[in-house]
Amino acid sequence: MLKTISLSFILLLCSVASLFAQKTDTISINLENVKYPYPIKYFAVNTEGQDLRMAYMDIPPTQLTNGRTVVLFHGKNFGGYYWTNVIKALTSRGFRVIVPDQIGFGKSSKAFIHYSFHQMAKWNKELLDGLGIAKASILGHSMGGMLATRFALMYPEKTEKLLLENPIGLEDYRRFIPYLSTEDQYKKELTSTAESIRKYYQGSYFTLWKAEYEELVRIAGGVTYSGDFPRWAKVAAMTYTMIYEQPVVYEFYNIKVPTVLFIGKEDKTVVGKGLLSPDQQALYGQYKLLGKQTAAKIPGAKIVEFEACGHIPHIEIPTEFNVALLGSL
């Protein structure tokens, strides 16, 4: 009897140990256990009867200040953590850098609300007002490019320059991507795994996969192990709907501020790409064409193109990107 109990206890311990080993990469949906490169502060937001927190980094220049500020808007699958090398490049040239995690992303609240680029732009404007920043250059990557565009349209007086790094929304996805309800998108998000995320990043974001990119997968994939992952997935579905239903592509003509596009020419990102057949996928997301077409729509816009580079130039070719960025400021 004692042997039976001992064996059962050992098996239980082994099961617990195995489960613990599988969960060692678990990351909370608010990334509490992800170290950001600079201290995090929080900006209070109240909306739809909810008190929320918008995380941000406020990094002073490491060299003599030039009196100017750059704000960095992240993409949908990321947070402020992936801007480290850009922050260092900017602060070393005298810029103050503000790096928000938008509500619904990164270390910010994962709220069940109506997500809107207009509302996000307003929150960011209020953040800058609270920090005493009258005017800033806005750099937006991917989804952050859609938000930066909306910010510049709503607040041209606060936008010194609009800087777009492989922004999504250069096409109207409603024209060719089949509609999915937020609930159906939520069910899709629930199937995400670290491996599916790695496969997507490898196939969509980079021209050549490097070991250093695994950190991006560790963070995004680690969230899928969290007990709160269903909340994360629901918010991801809500922000997918925001992107799908709130295009900016028809308003580029209305931009009134100096604009520069930074385009990795091998980027083929399409929001909802998995809903298309391979033949259909080949027709869209062609940034080597979309970049030029978009620059032509924005009065006075300039474009910097990068050969052999995909969706995230500031990570794939950091030195070349930072040189181009600093030269455009």
Side-chain angles (χ1 to χ4, degrees), residues 128-170:
L128 295 182
D129 289 345
L131 295 173
I133 298 170
K135 202 165 191 176
S137 292
I138 311 295
L139 169 59
H141 168 249
S142 194
M143 181 200 77
M146 292 185 75
L147 175 56
T149 300
R150 179 59 60 205
F151 185 96
L153 288 165
M154 290 175 67
Y155 307 111
E157 74 285 353
K158 289 196 76 73
T159 309
E160 182 178 350
K161 288 189 176 183
L162 174 61
L163 309 164
L164 301 175
E165 178 192 359
N166 283 76
I168 59 170
L170 304 185

Side-chain angles (χ1 to χ4, degrees), residues 33-77:
N33 44 348
V34 173
K35 183 174 175 56
Y36 275 41
Y38 300 93
I40 293 292
K41 300 177 182 179
Y42 291 94
F43 177 70
V45 168
N46 181 275
T47 187
E48 299 181 28
Q50 301 179 53
D51 291 322
L52 309 177
R53 299 199 309 171
M54 181 176 172
Y56 68 95
M57 292 179 282
D58 181 357
I59 309 101
T62 56
Q63 299 296 325
L64 184 65
T65 180
N66 61 22
R68 300 169 66 195
T69 300
V70 180
V71 182
L72 308 180
F73 287 166
H74 60 76
K76 185 180 189 300
N77 293 320

